[in-house]
Amino acid sequence: MYGNGVSKARKIYIMSMRVLMWASVAVTCLLALFMIVYISVRGIPNISWEILSTKPSYLSGGIGILPDIMNTVYILIATLVIVIPLGAGAAIYLTEYASNKRIVAVIEYAAETLSGIPSIIYGLVGMLFFCQFLNMKTSIIAGALTLVIMNLPTIMRTTQESLKTVPQSYREGAFGLGAGKWRVIRTVVLPGCVDGVITGCILSAGRILGESAALLFTAGFAHALNGIFEGFSSPGATLTVALYVYAKEQGEFGIAFAIAAILMVLALVINLSAMLTGKYFKRRRNI
Amino acid sequence: MSDIIKVKNMCLWYGEHKALNNININIPGKSITALIGPSGCGKSTFLKSLDRMNDLIPGVKITGDIRYKDKDIFDASVDVNELRREIGMVFQKPNPFPMSIYDNIAYGPRTHGIKSRAKLDVIVEKSLKDAAIWDEVKDRLKKNALGLSGGQQQRLCIARALAVQPKVILMDEPTSALDPVSTSKIEELSSKLKKDYTIIMVTHNMQQAVRISDQTAFFLLGELVEYGKTETLFSTPSDKRTEDYITGRFG
Amino acid sequence: MNNNKKVFEKAVHGIFLILGLVTIGCVLMITVYLVISGIPAIREIGLLKFLFGKKWESASSDPSYGILPFILTSVYGTAGAIVAGVPVGFFTAVYLSKVASKGVKETVETIVSLLAGIPSVVYGLAGMLVLVPGIRRIFHVADGASLLAAIVVLAIMILPSIIKVSTTALDAVPKEYEDASLALGATPVETYFRVSVPAARSGIATAVVLGIGRAIGEAMAVMMVSGNVANMPGLFKSVRFLTTAVASEMSYSSGLQRQALFSIALVLFLFIMLINATLGFFLKDRKGV
């Protein structure tokens, strides 16, 4: 028996598993490579200063995406400004206040449920609730509020995770000095949230940037150029929605690819910053 | 009794660190050999070298000669998987797979190509009987093995090792995670198994070594200080360090 | 502690409680809105006729609102994406978790999270201009915008989360299991697939269920490549999903047609809740072991 080695059947099994693994990794990497190269090749030549700095004009027939860029910025700001206190606050409640296990379980279940709901449903309910019921009409702010609900679980989760790393002894130390609960929260807990909130913001920014289905019927697809304040109450397409409209409804593929290339670059930037901040926070925690 | 394992001038490095220095030992078949020594003395490392489990750790380099049945185990013609089938291993922490009891035992034979249900049934029953756990589990072979107690899990692991018909069983502190009752069951079992198998056991428990082993090897700081009949080594050790250790002066 | 301070602390507690309850409020709001706006059309059309009607002709003078084509398309599309995407994701995950060196693992994981970060409309765009014409040419069909195109796009879109969740599950398999298998004479590859994978099965199942949820909920990318016609599903037919049915008529619909769209959203929501329940089951299973 000794020395006759691995049987032929086993060798075939092992080899086929290896081949399947290599092939799968190759497929995954090639897909990514293809997307990057294809979108860059088709998109980057179409990016020009003119496109970036103008709005579409029926008179000249030119298309500019400045309004879409501004709308994206507006919606990003509005969403994050609203979702951070909500999400971080909920996380603080869960980790610092909630003593009733049932409530914690229900809130966490609700957050899980929210993160599983497809964005088209958010879009629909956002339209019914914010645009119609609260009479906000189709507007950036209605879109932003819809995205707030979508991103709530993300901010909650990342904040909760960073609060878990605040040592219990810090809180006890502060209480021991006679500090009230709020003072402990302000001096110990809130600083502990920062890492989580930043991580959550980066992840949410990625989602907001990529979102389209939830915005179609809440923020609409107008290309008007607005200042920041009238911008919130006016309808407007973000870059992703604009890409969809240009590609699907208008057949303007050049501009669609230009936007796609910009979105890819932004996604890359967000990815890198998520990775770098993640590494930075980890290192800081270990010291 | 002929020697089933022969080790000559064996050294082992972890990267730059020399963990074992010039080990020479011959281990007779169908007996129990105990490896004792303080933590970090290299006895577990030595044990794992015998079925080449150290191959899996990056940076490990071994020189010298380890022969199993007079064949160099590092020879290119030796199939490491076949070697590990012949030289089984039982670990410190019971580690049954998260599968049914039956599947745990059948895992090894299945891996080595036995597919017939009838044959597997026979092997499973025999292995469990040989490991003295059959009566406790025969009614729940389909139940998850993680539901067993720690002692039962360890005997299951021994049964799992027996199922591939090894010649040698390496045991790495098999009772250190167990209660006294389970420990004595494993000891009883080991004494019974040496009729058919060669057992090499790392242990921290010197009473255990005295109770069950035929030979004892004492390791210290990566060296094999003394090796001989258990009775002799514990009653009249020839090395001062051995004496210090077995009388509890350090370690 | 003086009285003022007590009141203040109570107020702070109250504020945080309200913030904590916002999530529950949101879920309730979504559920209530979907149910309230989804029921009327179902009532008017009839539940069976709505769910099992094979014809969706919302624009005709004698409209019929059967959503079986959408339901089946969503089910087939999701199943197709799972069949195509899960094996690739699964084998990639085993490779990353068990075989790859640290450097390779980090590199491929970066690539995978990049894939995850690409917006769905960008996938849709690439699908429209590469996949759709490709399918037309390869299979000699009149229009490449089809269920097949949607399946391929969905499979690619669920790939990153399948890989990530499975890799995490496989990474968490205790090394002791693998050592035991190797010590029995199994080769490393046999050990990965016969011990590590079964040990990580609930995590891998979670990955698949998450993938199902993502695939069934995706709207824009499928809208761009599936042709958006209310046909009963066929691999090379133009089809409409539950999600795209809602999206495609919302902007110009009114009356019963609009209400029927809300009913479709309700059906989609119920599918998602079912998937969530399955997910909860697997998560609990994992905590149990």
Side-chain angles (χ1 to χ4, degrees):
Chain A
M1 194 81 176
Y2 183 48
N4 61 358
V6 174
S7 71
K8 203 170 170 203
R10 285 175 73 188
K11 276 188 183 140
I12 292 172
Y13 172 82
I14 292 163
M15 208 52 219
S16 28
M17 288 299 144
R18 278 189 188 283
V19 168
L20 284 171
M21 285 194 285
W22 289 327
S24 301
V25 175
V27 166
T28 308
C29 293
L30 286 177
L31 277 173
L33 193 71
F34 168 78
M35 286 302 287
I36 294 170
V37 171
Y38 179 69
I39 298 293
S40 307
V41 167
R42 297 284 306 260
I44 289 174
N46 288 312
I47 301 176
S48 65
W49 177 243
E50 208 191 324
I51 281 181
L52 293 176
S53 61
T54 58
K55 56 181 183 174
S57 155
Y58 291 114
L59 288 176
S60 65
I63 295 178
I65 59 168
L66 182 62
D68 309 318
I69 295 175
M70 295 318 290
N71 289 330
T72 309
V73 172
Y74 296 157
I75 224 160
L76 204 61
I77 293 172
T79 308
L80 290 181
V81 163
I82 303 169
V83 78
I84 289 170
L86 282 179
I92 290 175
Y93 177 75
L94 285 178
T95 46
E96 309 297 326
Y97 280 98
S99 45
N100 185 333
K101 276 205 173 126
R102 290 272 290 279
I103 294 190
V104 175
V106 173
I107 292 177
E108 281 181 346
Y109 180 75
E112 242 168 66
T113 308
L114 280 184
S115 53
I117 294 177
S119 46
I120 183 80
I121 289 191
Y122 280 108
L124 199 67
V125 175
M127 177 187 83
L128 290 171
F129 185 72
F130 296 119
C131 304
Q132 294 176 4
F133 183 72
L134 294 184
N135 206 16
M136 290 177 176
K137 303 277 178 350
T138 307
S139 61
I140 294 276
I141 191 71
L145 286 169
T146 309
L147 293 184
V148 164
I149 306 179
M150 276 181 81
N151 287 291
L152 199 54
T154 313
I155 303 277
M156 258 175 81
R157 186 174 41 80
T158 54
T159 312
Q160 259 182 302
E161 267 161 27
S162 77
L163 281 180
K164 274 183 200 148
T165 64
V166 175
Q168 195 58 31
S169 57
Y170 287 15
R171 299 184 182 95
E172 282 157 6
F175 278 124
L177 292 170
K181 183 107 189 177
W182 166 242
R183 211 179 137 66
V184 175
I185 302 260
R186 203 170 48 108
T187 54
V188 176
V189 175
L190 282 184
C193 287
V194 174
D195 290 9
V197 168
I198 291 176
T199 313
C201 279
I202 295 171
L203 293 178
S204 297
R207 269 191 87 178
I208 295 167
L209 215 59
E211 188 47 57
S212 42
L215 292 175
L216 217 45
F217 308 118
T218 52
F221 29 85
H223 298 299
L225 187 58
N226 296 307
I228 185 153
F229 289 108
E230 83 246 45
F232 286 141
S233 53
S234 334
T238 61
L239 283 168
T240 359
V241 174
L243 191 168
Y244 173 76
V245 173
Y246 283 128
K248 189 79 182 22
E249 317 274 319
Q250 302 181 5
E252 295 279 0
F253 292 115
I255 202 88
F257 273 110
I259 299 177
I262 295 172
L263 286 172
M264 289 278 278
V265 171
L266 290 175
L268 196 69
V269 169
I270 285 175
N271 239 305
L272 280 178
S273 36
M275 224 161 56
L276 291 178
T277 49
K279 270 191 187 151
Y280 172 73
F281 289 147
K282 210 171 169 187
R283 204 169 41 206
R284 206 176 54 182
R285 225 170 273 151
N286 289 340
I287 291 170
Chain B
M1 188 68 54
S2 65
D3 294 335
I4 191 164
I5 290 175
K6 294 174 185 159
V7 180
K8 223 192 217 161
N9 303 334
M10 176 215 172
C11 300
L12 182 146
W13 283 266
Y14 284 119
E16 295 296 302
H17 169 70
K18 196 171 189 180
L20 288 173
N21 186 19
N22 201 28
I23 308 292
N24 290 284
I25 188 170
N26 287 347
I27 293 170
K30 301 202 175 168
S31 68
I32 299 182
T33 305
L35 309 181
I36 61 168
S39 300
C41 65
K43 56 193 190 300
S44 282
T45 306
F46 174 72
L47 189 79
K48 285 186 178 141
S49 303
L50 298 180
D51 69 344
R52 292 181 55 183
M53 287 296 277
N54 284 331
D55 289 15
L56 307 166
I57 302 164
V60 166
K61 204 181 88 196
I62 296 173
T63 60
D65 206 32
I66 302 178
R67 285 176 184 274
Y68 167 69
K69 287 185 174 169
D70 290 321
K71 182 154 193 198
D72 182 356
I73 64 167
F74 292 104
D75 192 89
S77 70
V78 171
D79 181 282
V80 65
N81 306 297
E82 199 54 30
L83 176 77
R84 290 187 189 140
R85 198 193 64 68
E86 295 241 340
I87 304 182
M89 183 145 195
V90 175
F91 296 81
Q92 183 171 0
K93 212 176 117 218
N95 57 354
F97 302 130
M99 317 169 178
S100 73
I101 293 169
Y102 185 98
D103 288 337
N104 260 280
I105 307 298
Y107 177 84
R110 273 184 184 140
T111 299
H112 294 281
I114 298 174
K115 301 270 183 269
S116 143
R117 182 79 199 191
K119 272 189 199 163
L120 285 172
D121 284 346
V122 172
I123 294 174
V124 168
E125 182 170 343
K126 182 170 186 322
S127 309
L128 288 168
K129 276 183 174 156
D130 287 349
I133 192 179
W134 171 252
D135 291 331
E136 291 160 66
V137 300
K138 65 181 176 207
D139 300 323
R140 45 171 173 163
L141 293 175
K142 295 285 157 218
K143 293 266 163 61
N144 195 314
L146 298 180
L148 298 172
S149 75
Q152 288 174 324
Q153 287 189 8
Q154 194 63 304
R155 275 179 287 145
L156 180 77
C157 292
I158 295 176
R160 182 177 62 188
L162 298 180
V164 293
Q165 297 172 303
K167 300 284 181 294
V168 180
I169 304 171
L170 309 176
M171 297 189 178
D172 189 0
E173 299 188 40
T175 61
S176 68
L178 304 181
D179 61 275
V181 177
S182 307
T183 300
S184 71
K185 277 194 182 151
I186 303 264
E187 288 180 7
E188 257 171 60
L189 174 61
S190 309
S191 306
K192 204 183 80 189
L193 288 174
K194 78 170 178 180
K195 274 209 315 271
D196 304 301
Y197 304 92
T198 307
I199 295 176
I200 306 171
M201 181 190 285
V202 167
T203 178
H204 262 124
N205 180 336
M206 272 176 284
Q207 281 86 20
Q208 185 168 62
V210 173
R211 274 196 299 267
I212 62 172
S213 71
D214 302 291
Q215 305 73 231
T216 298
F218 171 56
F219 282 78
L220 184 65
L221 298 170
E223 293 194 34
L224 175 59
V225 174
E226 188 167 349
Y227 173 55
K229 282 218 163 313
T230 300
E231 279 168 42
T232 325
L233 187 133
F234 277 94
S235 56
T236 51
S238 57
D239 193 295
K240 177 81 175 62
R241 292 169 292 178
T242 314
E243 191 184 340
D244 286 350
Y245 183 68
I246 61 176
T247 51
R249 238 162 273 179
F250 65 88
Chain C
M1 234 197 287
N2 63 36
N3 231 355
N4 264 347
K5 210 170 167 190
K6 250 186 204 161
V7 171
F8 175 72
E9 291 287 350
K10 275 238 163 84
V12 172
H13 187 134
I15 290 172
F16 279 114
L17 173 65
I18 291 169
L19 292 176
L21 295 179
V22 165
T23 351
I24 302 179
C26 290
V27 172
L28 287 179
M29 180 190 91
I30 291 170
T31 315
V32 168
Y33 259 93
L34 283 175
V35 171
I36 289 180
S37 50
I39 295 282
I42 295 181
R43 216 181 248 163
E44 195 166 332
I45 299 160
L47 181 64
L48 292 181
K49 234 174 138 188
F50 179 68
L51 287 180
F52 300 110
K54 289 183 183 164
K55 243 195 219 153
W56 175 270
E57 283 172 350
S58 56
S60 86
S61 52
D62 176 25
S64 59
Y65 300 101
I67 63 163
L68 192 63
F70 308 152
I71 294 179
L72 288 182
T73 300
S74 277
V75 171
Y76 292 174
T78 304
I82 292 294
V83 168
V86 166
V88 176
F90 166 75
F91 282 105
T92 304
V94 177
Y95 182 84
L96 290 185
S97 175
K98 303 297 168 190
V99 184
S101 67
K102 202 165 171 255
V104 171
K105 185 180 180 188
E106 269 178 19
T107 314
V108 177
E109 278 181 338
T110 311
I111 290 173
V112 169
S113 53
L114 182 70
L115 269 181
I118 298 177
S120 54
V121 285
V122 176
Y123 282 113
L125 179 66
M128 263 175 99
L129 294 175
V130 178
L131 214 51
V132 170
I135 289 175
R136 195 181 54 219
R137 228 166 291 142
I138 294 170
F139 297 101
H140 304 290
V141 285
D143 186 2
S146 58
L147 180 60
L148 179 63
I151 285 176
V152 175
V153 168
L154 285 176
I156 296 172
M157 290 182 67
I158 62 171
L159 195 55
S161 63
I162 303 256
I163 294 176
K164 268 193 214 164
V165 179
S166 310
T167 306
T168 313
L170 285 163
D171 282 347
V173 172
K175 212 179 152 301
E176 288 90 38
Y177 294 161
E178 286 155 15
D179 283 348
S181 165
L182 294 167
L184 286 167
T187 62
V189 171
E190 287 169 326
T191 300
Y192 306 147
F193 285 96
R194 295 195 171 148
V195 172
S196 315
V197 167
R201 61 182 177 268
S202 69
I204 295 170
T206 306
V208 175
V209 177
L210 277 175
I212 294 176
R214 283 208 61 184
I216 208 166
E218 177 53 42
M220 305 311 272
V222 255
M223 178 98 115
M224 292 166 89
V225 300
S226 66
N228 203 19
V229 182
N231 285 324
M232 286 299 265
L235 209 50
F236 296 106
K237 277 200 231 165
S238 287
V239 288
R240 198 182 276 185
F241 291 70
L242 285 169
T243 47
T244 50
V246 178
S248 56
E249 293 182 16
M250 188 52 74
S251 50
Y252 55 80
S253 61
S254 61
L256 182 61
Q257 182 192 1
R258 193 174 177 80
Q259 285 178 327
L261 298 182
F262 295 140
S263 308
I264 296 176
L266 179 61
V267 172
L268 176 63
F269 184 67
L270 292 177
F271 267 105
I272 292 291
M273 293 312 273
L274 192 74
I275 292 164
N276 272 356
T278 325
L279 196 62
F281 170 77
F282 281 121
L283 289 176
K284 211 177 278 167
D285 182 45
R286 192 151 45 151
K287 273 176 202 157
V289 171

